[in-house]
Amino acid sequence: MAIDVTTAPRRIARPVRRAVDGPVPTTQRAAVVGLLVLIAATSVGMLTWPSQVSYAPIVPVVVAAGLFLHAVQMYIVFAASGASLVLTAATAQDDPTSPTLLAALGVVMLLLVAVDRRRAHLGISPSAGASMLVDLRDRLRELGRIPTDLPSGWHAESSIQPAFGDAFSGDFLVAGKGGDQLDLALVDVSGKGLQAGTRSLMLSGAFASLLDATRPAQFLPAANSYLLRQGWSEGFATAVHVSVDLRTGAYDVGSAGHPAAVHYHAGSGQWTPIEGTDGVLLGVLDGDLAQFERVEGRLERGDALLLYTDGVIEDRDADLAQGVDHMLGAADRAVGDGPGMADRICAAAMAGEDDDRAVVVVWRD
């Protein structure tokens, strides 16, 4: 079979051109060209001045390709790097470090390929994946942002601290305001930190929609039905939901397997747990069996309402009663200090950074 030597180089170069000039972002094409130019310059330097130029520039080139390029472009850079080192090692017969460096670089490439295979099913570049995670994290925080246009004399704030300083938490807040009604739902998804982060991302959007579309008494049953439809084998959550009338201070609160909300009475200076709101976990029983009782109350001038998750009161070395006492002690110290109350209570959590922690406080002047 005859081979047209005039067209063969073009056929061989075509995959490289597709990798560099194909349907990839301009920044990717520029990165590939820049890395290939750096490899070529390093190769020329090592061949021309073998005692002055080392292999060192090739290592960051390989790492950069593995972290920031699509698979095809990454393999092109890897192949060029390997070819460069093999060529220069072959000319440096008296250099005993060449085989070791080649082996080390090969291991680095294999590790980066393994990482790339794990993210390949997403169909996006590593940098785009990181940007998406940042965007999702910001959207989760935005859904839990408490409205700032509260009437004069009213204040509300939240603090959510993921376990071990992770970016995502199994605790999340959804908030909404319609007219003079403020609705807040604090949810604790099974698991913690990154393990529960994906469930939080999914549920937060759905629960925010339910908060806007249902009456207060219907929110927890609707949330329970939604979670049941997901069919998660270990997918349950606890939640506490409060609806506050900002004209009168009247509120009603319901709970689904969640620690009881606490009412601070300015007249007596006491924190009182709101009893009678016990309900089943979300995602465990169907609508006919799941009951979510609600309790009514009123926030007078100087009163406050405290919502929190179990990470604030739980500790392996203490029972829940001690944890609640510890939290209320921190709340007593924080209640007179104005803004930042939620952060101060959350920072004093019994679990420290071993669990997700969340605190929401609503109060009147």
Side-chain angles (χ1 to χ4, degrees), residues 19 26 48 54-55 59 170 185 189 214 246-247 259 291 309 336 351:
T26 303
T48 308
S54 70
Y55 295 95
V59 177
V189 179
T214 61
L246 299 174
R247 296 169 299 173
Q291 299 295 322
T309 57

Side-chain angles (χ1 to χ4, degrees), residues 114-268:
V115 172
D116 180 74
R117 285 184 174 276
R118 293 188 62 182
R119 69 196 179 207
H121 68 281
L122 295 175
I124 56 176
S125 68
S127 56
S131 299
M132 287 180 62
L133 287 175
V134 171
D135 183 61
L136 289 171
R137 181 200 62 192
D138 293 343
R139 288 176 183 272
L140 179 60
R141 292 178 178 176
E142 187 63 31
L143 288 172
R145 193 179 302 278
I146 298 175
T148 57
D149 58 337
L150 301 181
S152 177
W154 283 96
H155 308 274
E157 61 183 31
S158 65
S159 178
I160 298 178
Q161 302 295 330
F164 312 115
D166 289 338
F168 295 96
S169 172
D171 299 344
F172 68 89
L173 171 70
V174 289
K177 180 177 176 290
D180 292 313
Q181 178 178 309
L182 175 66
D183 284 283
L184 301 168
L186 184 60
V187 183
D188 184 356
V189 179
S190 57
K192 66 179 66 174
L194 293 175
Q195 179 184 3
T198 53
R199 292 174 180 171
S200 294
L201 288 169
M202 179 177 181
L203 292 181
S204 59
F207 284 11
S209 298
L210 292 174
L211 200 68
D212 292 334
T214 61
R215 296 194 300 270
Q218 297 175 331
F219 172 74
L220 290 176
N224 181 63
S225 298
Y226 176 83
L227 196 52
L228 282 172
R229 287 196 297 272
Q230 306 314 304
W232 293 339
S233 59
E234 299 179 357
F236 63 87
T238 69
V240 58
H241 169 243
V242 62
S243 181
V244 183
D245 188 329
L246 299 174
R247 296 169 299 173
T248 65
Y251 68 81
D252 69 293
V253 59
S255 175
H258 202 87
V262 185
H263 184 158
Y264 174 75
H265 299 273
S268 63

